[in-house]
Amino acid sequence: MRVPSTQALRALEAFARHGTVWQAAAELNITRSAVSHQLRFLEQDLGFALLQRAGKGVSLTPQGKRYAADVRTALALLADAAVQYGDRGLLQGAITISSTPGFATFWLCTHIAEFRQLHPGVTLRIVTPPRLEDVDAPGVDAFIAYGDGDWPRHSVELLSVVDFMPVCSPVLLNQLGGLSEPVDVFRTVLLHLDGLGDWFTWLSAAGVVAPRTDQGVVFSDMNLVLAAALAGQGIAIGDNFVCRQAVETGRLVVPFDLTIRASRAYYFVTPRDRPGNPAIQAFADWLKSRLVQTAPVMRI
C-alpha cells in the first residue's frame, strides 16, 4: 500500500482550507513555490487531477475537494492520537480561555467535553470578551479572537477563515414566499451585529445599488443575532463557521449562493511574555485538531 507524502498531504489540506497558495505557505512556513510543487507532486502520485485553472489562479477540482476532505479527517485522527496517547491524564492545573460569544456557543460548547476526557486533571474556565478582537483581558491565559491577526505582542495562530452570507429561518422564508433576488432582503427585517458593515459589503457584492442598510435591528452579541434569526424575526448575516450546524440541521437556510470572504478570521492568541504552559499547549493542539476534523472544505 503506497501512502502519499505527509508533507504533500499537509500542503493540500492547508490549500483547501485557506483557498490560496500564499496563505497555505505562510501556515506551513515554506515558500509558495514549495506548496505548488507539493500539490503537483501529489497529483502525479495519485494519478488524478487535484487542481484546475480558476482565472489567474488555481482551485481544487471536485475530485480534489473530496480527497482533501478525506485527508483532513485522516490528519485529524493522527493529531488526536498524538494528543490522546502522548500525555493523557498527566497534565494538571487551571487555565482560562477567552472566546468570542458565537464561537463559544456554537462550536466550543458542543465539543469541550472531549478535552476534559483527554485531560481530566486540567480545570478549564471559559469566558467571553466585550470585544471580538480583545486579547488583553487580565487573568486570561489564551484567546480565541476574531480579528485581522495583527497583535504584535502576542503569538498568533490562524484557526479558521470565515465566509459570510445571509441566513434566515425556513419558516420566515416560507412566509415571504421565497427570496428571488438580493434586493428582496428588504422585504423583511435586517438583523445586524454591532453596525451595518457586513450587510453593506454583501449587498454591494450582490450588485444592489445604494444599499439601504440603515433599517433593521442592531445587536451587540452574535448569539442575539442568531437567536432572532432562528426565531424568524428577520434575516441575518451569518458565517459558514458559526452557522454551520444550524444550516446542516435545517434550523437556518441560506437563501442565496453568494458568500463573501471576511477580511477577519478566527485566531488562537497567547501573550508572548508569559512562560510556556503545557496545559495551554494541550488545549491549542486539541482545538486545532478538532477544528480540522469538523470544518467544511472552504470555498476557494
Side-chain angles (χ1 to χ4, degrees):
M1 181 177 61
R2 179 174 175 78
V3 179
S5 159
T6 302
Q7 187 175 4
L9 293 176
R10 290 183 63 213
L12 173 65
E13 191 281 325
F15 176 74
R17 182 158 35 85
H18 290 290
T20 65
V21 169
W22 72 266
Q23 286 176 302
E27 177 180 313
L28 299 174
N29 198 28
I30 58 178
T31 65
R32 300 183 192 183
S33 61
V35 171
S36 298
H37 174 77
Q38 289 293 339
L39 293 175
R40 294 299 181 189
F41 173 80
L42 181 60
E43 200 171 44
Q44 295 172 7
D45 197 30
L46 294 172
F48 60 84
L50 294 171
L51 305 173
Q52 62 188 359
R53 277 286 162 198
K56 296 181 179 180
V58 294
S59 64
L60 292 178
T61 64
Q63 192 172 13
K65 291 180 181 179
R66 292 192 297 271
Y67 184 73
D70 289 340
V71 167
R72 174 175 292 128
T73 299
L75 291 176
L77 288 173
L78 291 174
D80 281 348
V83 172
Q84 180 174 357
Y85 299 115
D87 55 10
R88 181 183 175 115
L90 298 179
L91 292 178
Q92 300 290 329
I95 57 175
T96 298
I97 306 294
S98 172
S99 171
T100 63
F103 190 106
T105 300
F106 295 99
W107 193 91
L108 193 56
C109 287
T110 64
H111 296 281
I112 198 61
E114 181 184 84
F115 177 79
R116 286 285 301 148
Q117 290 168 356
L118 291 171
H119 303 288
V122 176
T123 300
L124 186 62
R125 179 171 178 257
I126 306 295
V127 299
T128 57
R131 295 177 294 108
L132 301 181
E133 69 278 8
D134 181 21
V135 295
D136 291 309
V140 174
D141 298 293
F143 302 81
I144 299 170
Y146 182 71
D148 59 9
D150 184 20
W151 295 291
R153 296 185 293 107
H154 298 73
S155 296
V156 180
E157 295 182 80
L158 176 69
L159 292 177
S160 178
V161 295
V162 173
D163 291 339
F164 62 84
M165 64 286 180
V167 293
C168 66
S169 161
V171 174
L172 175 65
L173 191 65
N174 289 335
Q175 290 174 347
L176 296 172
L179 297 171
S180 301
E181 303 292 337
V183 72
D184 290 344
V185 299
F186 293 113
R187 291 165 48 204
T188 185
V189 177
L190 299 189
L191 306 175
H192 304 276
L193 173 64
D194 262 345
L196 313 175
D198 289 345
W199 267 117
F200 184 89
T201 301
W202 187 86
L203 287 165
S204 296
V208 176
V209 179
R212 292 181 8 253
T213 56
D214 56 348
Q215 65 108 326
V217 182
V218 180
F219 298 91
S220 64
D221 188 309
M222 192 62 191
N223 292 336
L224 302 178
V225 175
L226 293 186
L230 288 164
Q233 300 304 296
I235 185 167
I237 290 289
D239 69 64
N240 63 333
F241 186 83
V242 168
C243 295
R244 180 190 176 200
Q245 188 177 39
V247 171
E248 288 181 345
T249 56
R251 291 180 297 150
L252 289 176
V253 294
V254 181
F256 304 102
D257 291 334
L258 177 63
T259 61
I260 303 297
R261 177 61 54 88
S263 60
R264 297 184 290 174
Y266 290 105
Y267 295 90
F268 190 76
V269 184
T270 53
R272 292 184 185 274
D273 57 359
R274 295 186 189 177
N277 184 331
I280 290 294
Q281 187 58 54
F283 181 84
D285 291 343
W286 167 80
L287 176 64
K288 290 181 287 186
S289 169
R290 181 54 53 205
L291 281 172
V292 167
Q293 192 167 7
T294 59
V297 176
M298 293 295 183
R299 176 181 60 85
I300 60 177

